[in-house]
Amino acid sequence: MYSLQNAGIINVHFMLHSMGARVFFSAWNRIRDLFIEDTVDLEELEPEVIAKKSSSKDLSKSTAAKLHEALNVDALRRSGTTLDGERKMLVSNVILLNPDYEVSKFREDAPSLQRYCPRITLYVDRRDAALKLGQSCTGRVSLGVLMESIVDVHGVEIDMDIIDTTDLQSNV
């Protein structure tokens, strides 16, 4: 990931198949600082950053939308620049293809991932023999066979697209 960042790459798309999801999520906490968060909490910004980026004289009367526009947050994100000028990459999307990853672990990891990634897509195949075997060995439900919405550990529904490929003639 450091090589991609040093090469000037801005947009990163992750496509993870089967056990690749395990590798990704085990590394996520170590690599997430290389990426810009998808949302900006304007209340948490340092006042000097706001003053430096905004031309408004009276910030106390500015609405969050006007401040967001004044800071040009969206343009900064697209350029790979944080509000304080640091260069980072963007996670454009994460695609999980029949992931061999426990639902319980995903429920824990999803809130962190969603702070950085605007799109998560889950492809499931309820006939995937390898995932079924894994489930029978571990006794844990695999994300790659789950065809229903999932809530995170805080009880919030995880915003992701779920595509069922069970009825396709060949497995993804």
Side-chain angles (χ1 to χ4, degrees):
M1 294 309 313
Y2 292 109
S3 296
L4 292 176
Q5 184 181 35
N6 291 337
I9 300 298
I10 295 173
N11 294 300
V12 179
H13 305 263
F14 289 99
M15 183 177 280
L16 313 161
H17 181 261
S18 192
M19 291 189 79
R22 289 180 188 230
V23 173
F24 173 78
F25 284 110
S26 68
W28 176 244
N29 287 332
R30 292 187 294 273
I31 65 169
R32 70 179 177 197
D33 290 338
L34 297 172
F35 299 96
I36 296 175
E37 289 191 42
D38 186 46
T39 58
V40 175
D41 186 350
L42 297 173
E43 293 177 5
E44 290 184 12
L45 291 178
E46 297 294 327
E48 58 271 10
V49 171
I50 293 172
K52 182 168 59 170
K53 297 289 183 183
S54 177
S55 59
S56 174
K57 297 288 183 201
D58 187 2
L59 292 175
S60 62
K61 294 182 181 177
S62 206
T63 65
K66 287 181 184 176
L67 184 55
H68 193 276
E69 185 177 304
L71 295 172
N72 207 2
V73 172
D74 294 329
L76 286 171
R77 281 195 83 251
R78 285 190 302 275
S79 72
T81 306
T82 63
L83 289 171
D84 59 5
E86 188 178 358
R87 298 281 299 166
K88 292 190 174 190
M89 296 181 289
L90 299 170
V91 179
S92 295
N93 62 50
V94 172
I95 301 167
L96 301 162
L97 303 164
N98 299 353
D100 184 11
Y101 196 65
E102 289 84 14
V103 172
S104 60
K105 289 183 181 178
F106 183 72
R107 291 178 69 233
E108 294 171 8
D109 295 335
S112 170
L113 181 59
Q114 287 187 299
R115 285 197 348 250
Y116 293 85
C117 181
R119 282 176 297 284
I120 301 171
T121 305
L122 172 64
Y123 287 82
V124 301
D125 182 352
R126 289 168 288 152
R127 293 182 303 166
D128 188 305
L131 294 179
K132 284 184 175 183
L133 178 63
Q135 280 187 161
S136 66
C137 291
T138 65
R140 297 185 182 123
V141 178
S142 176
L143 190 57
V145 296
L146 193 68
M147 195 44 224
E148 59 192 50
S149 59
I150 304 168
V151 295
D152 65 21
V153 292
H154 307 293
V156 177
E157 186 174 336
I158 298 168
D159 183 20
M160 68 179 172
D161 296 319
I162 302 173
I163 300 170
D164 186 1
T165 63
T166 302
D167 294 326
L168 294 179
Q169 288 181 354
S170 62
N171 192 344
V172 296

